[in-house]
Amino acid sequence: MSDADDWSGVWVFGEVRDHEEASTCALELLTKGRELADQLGQRLACVTFGLDVEQYLPDFEAHGPDVVYYWSHADFKHYNPELFVPPFLKLVKEKQPNVVLFPATEAGSDLAARLAVELETGLTSHVTNLELVNDEEVGPNLLVMDKPAFGGNTMASIVCPHHRPVLVTVKPGVFSKKESESNRKVERVAMPYESESDGLVVRQVAAPQRSDPPTAQLEDAPVIVGGGQGVGSEERWAMLEKLAQLLGGKVGASRNAVFKGWAREEQLIGQTGVTVAPDVYLCLGISGQVQHNVGVLKSGIIIAVNKDPKALIFEVADYCVVAKLEEFLPKLLEAVKDQTRLK
Amino acid sequence: MNYETGRVRRQHVELATNPDDLHALEATLRLREQYGGTVTAVTMGPPQAAASLREVLATGADRGVLLCDERFAGADTLLTSRVLCAALKKLEPYDVVAAGCHSVDGNTGQVPVQVSQRAKIPLVKKVREMKLTGDAFWAKRNFGHEFQEITAPLPVMLGVDKYWNKPRIPTLAGIRRAYGKELSTWDAEELGFGLNFNCARDSPTRVLRVFPLRHARKNEVISGTVDQQVARVCEVLAAENVLVKRVRE
């Protein structure tokens, strides 16, 4: 293995979503990647695949890369590990990037994990912050990746000191996207490709049907009512849903509420769920484990209700209500019904 | 949690079988009911994990294998996949490997994917229907934004989540039978790793430090009777234009 210092460049997997658009998360990662690349004095590259992928390149290019490597072919219309991994791997081995960032989507996470095995390198997933620090032991410009640790209020800073490339996955909404202001000329590199689709191990025996994964549309909701274990029962969960409806908001959930079956997986808020940024986050019966809290820090205001005065959620709330939900929720629901009726 | 090393102090924590893995077990038990064969449960963990395996044997698995060695401690997902794949190699031939998609500890979801890549067996998730025919696998599954009908040669790996099935619970008879079933423990040597093998040292990633999440907010306490608290929350919502705006049409 060559020296870690020989590896240079920050790369971003430019995921094309549903063969319809350049994924927002990829644009967020390009924006953050530009910052990291500038600090490192290295180049930022976007690596993308798709059918007629040229149409998405302007979006990627507007967010700061120096170069875009792309494969344009019908084989890449839809993510397939058997088709995406080999060419990506080949390019990584040839160009030796320092860091590769992937959206923590189904495709991005799968691709990153498989590349990690092929390259026998470290993968850190669902990170909530990236920073370059000068470490006494390891050296300058060590990439530090923050993520929630095993519970409570604890975060961990992860490093990959010696193995390259450093692979990272990041959920949508963790970083912000911003179009680059510079008039940088982006180099486009069309990658040669000969179809491998005849040799696939997993074969489709019929034409696929479109079936979008369910979404709770939490990312853009201006009001979110989040529920946790403290809601206590399905009946009270129904009240929470009614409350959200009256407030014109969407319903989010903690892992416990999903576990109990009151909410679906796509409603999960937090590190491995959705990162939200509503104007108002009303949070009922959620204890506030760090994995949940990191997903709500961008909220305008946070109102938390919990019967336990020591609940961790109160540390990140603007308004702290210590109350039992069996008493508080029905009364809040009635009060809200009254208020909306007045107008 | 050991704040010095940033690693979980597993010996002091009550261990439980990962919930998704119980769904994976159920999937294999149903395959055995339909097609015959034997179900082997494999777990990598400290010695106490044997208790978890006994439970799995009581639920119906035919044999259990505990991958246990001091040198496995501190493994990240890459090293975990190396150890699991070494075990799979020893368990050849096999037709189906079932794994839970998500874990309640790290929850990276990476281990099944990395085992699939390393062992070179396709990973299939979100299956609605499936069949084994001779040495082939057929299924209807969700993949990205498509609903697909696929085939693949065996062996395959199933990435099982809680929406697949309802796991059975062990019966008294099953619990009694479990004590007669084989539960082997394999260490690093048994799996073919050299004396120099050390997961904590060889994991590419490590924890630099741990720290508490700091996020400053107003922390205004709303006290009083429940009615007073409700009234104040409504005031706050009105101030944020959440209540006033929502006019009933």
Side-chain angles (χ1 to χ4, degrees):
Chain A
M1 193 183 64
S2 62
D3 202 359
D5 290 336
D6 295 337
W7 295 67
S8 174
V10 176
W11 286 16
V12 173
F13 169 48
E15 185 180 0
V16 174
R17 267 244 319 237
D18 301 348
H19 48 86
E20 270 161 20
E21 56 173 9
S23 95
T24 309
C25 188
L27 303 180
E28 292 164 0
L29 295 184
L30 280 168
T31 310
K32 183 69 183 174
R34 181 72 261 163
E35 201 187 292
L36 296 171
D38 287 341
Q39 277 184 272
L40 288 166
Q42 297 178 5
R43 298 221 301 168
L44 176 68
C46 176
V47 181
T48 185
F49 301 76
L51 168 64
D52 300 328
V53 81
E54 291 84 351
Q55 61 189 300
Y56 312 110
L57 298 187
D59 273 335
F60 291 127
E61 288 167 345
H63 289 78
D66 297 294
V67 56
V68 178
Y69 299 104
Y70 66 96
W71 286 259
S72 191
H73 193 278
D75 281 2
F76 301 115
K77 186 178 174 196
H78 192 248
Y79 176 67
N80 184 330
E82 294 187 67
L83 295 172
F84 279 56
V85 171
F88 204 126
L89 178 63
K90 183 158 175 254
L91 191 66
V92 168
K93 286 182 171 173
E94 193 191 309
K95 303 286 181 188
Q96 302 197 321
N98 186 357
V99 176
V100 187
L101 308 177
F102 299 80
T105 55
E106 211 181 315
S109 300
D110 187 276
L111 181 56
R114 292 180 187 277
L115 289 170
V117 167
E118 295 298 330
L119 296 160
E120 294 289 359
T121 187
L123 168 61
T124 309
S125 54
H126 306 137
V127 303
T128 53
N129 194 28
L130 287 170
E131 232 181 285
L132 290 163
V133 304
N134 295 325
D135 183 69
E136 284 161 8
E137 240 181 87
V138 180
N141 288 323
L142 177 66
L143 184 67
V144 175
M145 306 165 271
D146 291 341
K147 58 185 290 185
F150 291 93
N153 193 33
T154 314
M155 298 285 288
S157 292
I158 311 291
V159 293
C160 184
H162 306 297
H163 291 72
R164 292 294 179 268
V166 181
L167 304 181
V168 189
T169 74
V170 185
K171 281 269 184 178
V174 169
F175 297 122
S176 310
K177 69 179 163 103
K178 188 163 178 260
E179 286 196 12
S180 174
E181 273 146 19
S182 88
N183 282 326
R184 188 188 324 267
K185 179 125 201 322
V186 184
E187 189 192 338
R188 280 193 189 186
V189 181
M191 302 300 295
Y193 175 76
E194 264 178 56
S195 181
E196 304 282 334
S197 56
D198 281 339
L200 291 177
V201 172
V202 177
R203 294 167 179 279
Q204 296 197 42
V205 295
Q209 293 161 30
R210 176 108 191 187
S211 167
D212 290 290
T215 167
Q217 299 171 300
L218 293 171
E219 292 88 343
D220 301 316
V223 176
I224 296 177
V225 180
Q229 189 169 7
V231 172
S233 68
E234 241 179 276
E235 288 75 33
R236 260 198 297 283
W237 191 267
M239 284 188 214
L240 184 154
E241 286 179 334
K242 182 81 190 144
L243 177 65
Q245 188 195 22
L246 290 173
L247 296 176
K250 299 270 192 254
V251 177
S254 71
R255 182 149 287 289
N256 276 326
V258 171
F259 198 66
K260 287 212 166 348
W262 300 332
R264 303 269 312 174
E265 192 74 41
E266 56 268 18
Q267 290 174 284
L268 177 67
I269 291 180
Q271 183 210 7
T272 59
V274 183
T275 299
V276 298
D279 298 322
V280 176
Y281 179 56
L282 175 57
C283 171
L284 308 175
I286 292 182
S287 65
Q289 296 304 303
V290 68
Q291 289 90 337
H292 166 266
N293 293 353
V294 293
V296 307
L297 301 180
K298 293 185 184 180
S299 305
I301 64 152
I302 298 177
I303 307 169
V305 184
N306 196 298
K307 71 177 183 200
D308 176 7
K310 294 208 186 78
L312 290 170
I313 191 70
F314 290 132
E315 292 184 26
V316 299
D318 292 288
Y319 298 97
C320 309
V321 181
V322 179
K324 294 192 184 139
L325 275 175
E326 49 265 42
E327 292 167 22
F328 186 88
L329 182 49
K331 292 200 171 197
L332 180 63
L333 186 55
E334 283 312 303
V336 169
K337 275 184 192 166
D338 280 343
Q339 301 248 356
T340 52
R341 211 175 293 139
L342 275 174
K343 295 274 169 176
Chain B
M1 185 79 193
N2 180 329
Y3 284 88
E4 301 277 313
T5 60
R7 278 159 43 186
V8 179
R9 277 206 191 100
R10 293 190 194 272
Q11 63 269 35
H12 301 304
V13 173
E14 194 183 304
L15 296 179
T17 308
N18 186 46
D20 267 9
D21 297 348
L22 293 175
H23 292 272
L25 171 65
E26 179 62 31
T28 58
L29 295 176
R30 289 187 193 189
L31 284 172
R32 185 184 63 192
E33 277 162 8
Q34 226 184 330
Y35 302 103
T38 59
V39 172
T40 305
V42 181
T43 194
M44 179 174 155
Q48 312 88 284
S52 210
L53 269 184
R54 282 268 169 240
E55 233 177 78
V56 167
L57 289 174
T59 313
D62 298 298
R63 73 184 274 219
V65 178
L66 174 63
L67 310 175
C68 184
D69 194 306
E70 266 177 0
R71 289 167 288 168
F72 295 162
D76 65 2
T77 64
L78 187 76
L79 271 291
T80 300
S81 72
R82 270 195 216 160
V83 174
L84 290 176
C85 283
L88 280 179
K89 197 104 190 85
K90 255 181 94 88
L91 289 166
E92 278 173 354
Y94 51 83
D95 301 288
V96 175
V97 181
C101 271
H102 299 290
S103 67
V104 293
D105 55 15
N107 196 24
T108 60
Q110 284 160 212
V111 170
V113 179
Q114 294 191 318
V115 170
S116 157
Q117 186 70 15
R118 197 184 285 283
K120 299 194 192 337
I121 50 179
L123 173 65
V124 184
K125 303 201 280 195
K126 301 188 181 163
V127 168
R128 294 271 188 89
E129 248 186 272
M130 67 177 179
K131 265 203 301 260
L132 303 182
T133 58
D135 53 5
F137 170 84
W138 170 95
K140 285 189 174 171
R141 62 140 184 206
N142 278 103
F143 187 66
H145 61 274
E146 289 186 345
F147 184 60
Q148 302 176 341
E149 194 182 327
I150 55 161
T151 58
L154 294 177
V156 296
M157 187 158 172
L158 302 177
V160 184
D161 62 30
K162 65 181 195 192
Y163 300 112
W164 269 52
N165 55 40
K166 191 163 188 283
R168 68 196 66 184
I169 37 183
T171 61
L172 273 177
I175 295 170
R176 266 185 264 121
R177 270 199 297 272
Y179 284 96
K181 293 181 181 174
E182 189 187 329
L183 203 170
S184 329
T185 303
W186 294 346
D187 62 11
E189 254 82 55
E190 190 90 39
L191 289 174
F193 291 109
L195 286 169
N196 208 20
F197 186 65
N198 184 308
C199 288
R201 188 201 62 212
D202 294 344
S203 291
T205 60
R206 62 176 173 85
V207 177
L208 182 68
R209 62 189 175 127
V210 288
F211 58 96
L213 176 70
R214 290 242 175 281
H215 182 69
R217 286 255 175 185
K218 210 152 85 150
N219 297 147
E220 178 186 314
V221 175
I222 297 178
S223 47
T225 63
V226 177
D227 288 313
Q228 286 168 330
Q229 289 172 316
V230 166
R232 179 80 184 107
V233 169
C234 286
E235 261 174 42
V236 171
L237 291 173
E240 294 292 323
N241 285 328
V242 171
L243 273 185
V244 174
K245 249 198 212 167
R246 310 302 162 196
V247 177
R248 285 263 196 96
E249 310 291 357

